[in-house]
Amino acid sequence: MDFSLSEEHLMIRDAARDFARTELLPGVIERDNLQKFPTEQVKKMGELGFLGMMVDPKYGGGGMDTVSYVLVMEELSKIDASCSVIVSVNNSLVCYGLQAYGTEAQKEKYLTKLATGESIGAFCLSEPEAGSDATSQRTTAIDKGDHYVLNGTKNWITNGGSADYYLVIAQTDRDKKHKGINAFIVEKGWDGFEIGPKEDKLGIRGSDTHSLIFNDVKVPKENRIGEDGFGFTFAMKTLSGGRIGIAAQALGIASGAYELARDYSKVRKAFDTEICNHQAIAFKLADMHTSITAARHMVMKAAWDKDQGHNYDMSGAMAKLYASKTAMDVTVEAVQVHGGNGYVKEYHVERLMRDAKITQIYEGTSEIQKIVISRGLLKD
Ligand code: CAA
């Protein structure tokens, strides 16, 4: 068994690390304060190939593996989780979904732009009454022959205001339950498609989260993804990979907070010595580093499973469950190590603590991950 990263992986990780320090760190506090979408930073991430990392180069992507992707996600998330969620949704949910299940025409028209960052995508599953209970879709897509008519509301949609293309999940035939659900590509600006107000969030405040309203939106039939009734399976399969990206985001938030706490503890003095010399602090660092290392192994294992063509439903859910708990625990401790300074924005750890919480909620709450894991364990 070889735990070392290849030269190529190290190069990609270092490129992401440099980018995060030079391009994401300046202004991260201001973007968080003002809930300012990182337009310039997203443009640069597109130029660097971070927005379509695993897409086939023939559609403009980087043709990289999932291990490379999680390395980049961790590095970006150490500094700015608002930027990394944009990367995660575009790569794992939108680009992956289209590459794996889209038609050639859909790939030509949409994936080529999404993979290069010329356009941004959003994934629209959650509804006021269908977040965890994803089969209970209320948004309808009525089949009218050569097109569908979409009606309903989606909630908490990442990239909701900034996206150009939206993958929308909707119910076509309620009697068929999850087998009557479809997924569609919807373009911003289509008649009847309205973007609701921006949510005022606890964390990842630089990313834009909106509700979306569909009022008799006509969607051409060629914009349905997969066969009739494939929408729920599409969402589940896509989210399984998405969870690996969010697990890597949680890992990055945790490791970013840990590094800040470690460095601070080496310079801050109390009782005549640097605080890292007190066991009260040193033991905290030991605990933080231990759980981060365990989380990293789990994230890497899930990414490796995906790259090997193994099933990754369980390993992705376990990685997300554990890494997101680690992100919460470690960021709280990082604030504690910083004492009063930890409560002040300029030291970054309070933002990381606020950002950590969403990793236990989106792309399936921690409770949903336990459903996925326990069903996987008990299915045979
Ligand atoms: N792959 C393929 N098929 C799957 C699957 C998977 N991973 N998971 C379930 N299915 C299939 C099942 O096999 C079943 O099909 P059959 O009846 O043909 O056998 C069907 O889907 C229904 O499955 P269940 O009976 O298990 O469905 P359920 O209603 O009990 O719930 C669930 C399953 C796992 C809880 C699911 O509803 C779920 O994942 N919920 C959470 C949704 C979620 O993650 N939301 C986040 C929104 S997106 C987001 O946050 C993005 C963002 O902005 C950052």
Side-chain angles (χ1 to χ4, degrees):
M1 193 180 293
D2 184 359
F3 282 94
S4 52
L5 292 170
S6 68
E7 282 299 314
E8 199 185 346
H9 286 141
L10 289 171
M11 269 173 53
I12 293 160
R13 185 197 65 186
D14 292 349
R17 188 173 288 176
D18 285 351
F19 174 79
R21 284 182 186 156
T22 55
E23 302 286 347
L24 300 187
L25 188 55
V28 65
I29 294 173
E30 189 197 6
R31 292 194 296 276
D32 174 73
N33 277 340
L34 302 176
Q35 296 210 85
K36 192 169 158 202
F37 187 81
T39 308
E40 273 306 300
Q41 291 74 10
V42 170
K43 188 167 174 283
K44 286 179 182 164
M45 290 193 292
E47 286 160 7
L48 281 171
F50 290 165
L51 292 175
M53 292 186 65
M54 295 166 289
V55 173
D56 190 324
K58 80 173 173 186
Y59 301 114
M64 287 181 236
D65 59 9
T66 316
V67 168
S68 305
Y69 167 59
V70 297
L71 289 169
V72 169
M73 278 298 297
E74 179 179 353
E75 292 305 323
L76 302 180
S77 307
K78 281 182 186 177
I79 308 279
D80 189 349
S82 296
C83 280
S84 71
V85 70
I86 298 164
V87 171
S88 179
V89 167
N90 207 67
N91 273 284
S92 301
L93 301 182
V94 181
C95 286
Y96 173 79
L98 285 174
Q99 171 149 291
Y101 304 108
T103 62
E104 202 50 39
Q106 289 168 351
K107 290 179 195 176
E108 289 291 337
K109 184 167 180 189
Y110 299 109
L111 183 57
T112 48
K113 292 185 185 157
L114 290 158
T116 55
E118 184 186 334
S119 304
I120 299 293
F123 184 85
C124 316
L125 174 71
S126 302
E127 299 189 354
E129 289 174 54
S132 293
D133 182 7
T135 47
S136 295
Q137 296 288 302
R138 292 281 177 273
T139 298
T140 54
I142 304 304
D143 190 342
K144 296 283 186 185
D146 66 341
H147 68 274
Y148 288 85
V149 175
L150 267 185
N151 275 293
T153 301
K154 294 289 174 185
N155 271 26
W156 313 293
I157 303 302
T158 305
N159 299 343
S162 54
D164 305 282
Y165 305 129
Y166 299 77
L167 305 190
V168 181
I169 319 294
Q171 183 71 255
T172 296
D173 186 341
R174 193 167 303 286
D175 294 341
K176 291 188 184 162
K177 300 188 175 154
H178 68 272
K179 290 187 173 132
I181 292 175
N182 278 307
F184 303 93
I185 308 162
V186 174
E187 298 184 19
K188 182 181 248 166
W190 278 359
D191 279 352
F193 177 19
E194 191 189 319
I195 295 165
K198 186 168 170 165
E199 301 290 354
D200 188 358
K201 307 192 297 284
L202 173 74
I204 55 164
R205 288 168 58 80
S207 70
D208 68 325
T209 307
H210 291 255
S211 52
L212 305 174
I213 302 111
F214 302 93
N215 264 319
D216 289 333
V217 178
K218 269 176 82 170
V219 182
K221 209 153 223 177
E222 63 261 27
N223 276 32
R224 189 185 71 208
I225 302 171
E227 294 297 311
D228 185 27
F230 181 65
F232 190 74
T233 308
F234 171 80
M236 290 300 109
K237 285 191 174 291
T238 307
L239 279 165
S240 275
R243 287 166 186 158
I244 303 175
I246 296 303
Q249 180 187 49
L251 170 64
I253 293 170
S255 48
Y258 159 74
E259 287 171 14
L260 289 167
R262 179 200 58 200
D263 296 349
Y264 182 83
S265 75
K266 289 186 192 169
V267 293
R268 168 76 179 179
K269 287 190 174 169
F271 306 102
D272 297 327
T273 185
E274 288 76 16
I275 59 172
C276 62
N277 296 322
H278 298 298
Q279 277 193 340
I281 300 299
F283 282 9
K284 279 191 197 302
L285 296 176
D287 283 339
M288 290 156 101
H289 186 67
T290 303
S291 15
I292 287 168
T293 304
R296 188 175 291 112
H297 288 327
M298 294 180 81
V299 170
M300 284 297 171
K301 169 65 167 57
W304 180 84
D305 277 342
K306 185 161 179 282
D307 288 335
Q308 298 301 311
H310 300 164
N311 186 298
Y312 50 90
D313 294 341
M314 269 179 76
S315 56
M318 288 193 293
K320 181 180 182 291
L321 178 67
Y322 188 78
S324 59
K325 181 174 183 326
T326 299
M328 265 331 291
D329 294 348
V330 167
T331 55
V332 167
E333 287 295 68
V335 170
Q336 194 69 18
V337 170
H338 279 76
N341 280 332
Y343 213 61
V344 173
K345 295 202 175 201
E346 118 188 46
Y347 285 82
H348 298 285
V349 284
E350 64 80 34
R351 185 187 71 258
L352 290 165
M353 185 179 82
R354 288 186 284 105
D355 288 350
K357 187 61 202 169
I358 192 62
T359 66
Q360 293 188 305
I361 298 174
Y362 59 20
E363 297 197 22
T365 59
S366 297
E367 292 72 21
I368 291 292
Q369 308 314 314
K370 291 181 193 182
I371 293 178
V372 174
I373 297 160
S374 56
R375 285 187 182 174
L377 288 174
L378 300 171
K379 76 177 171 200
D380 296 325

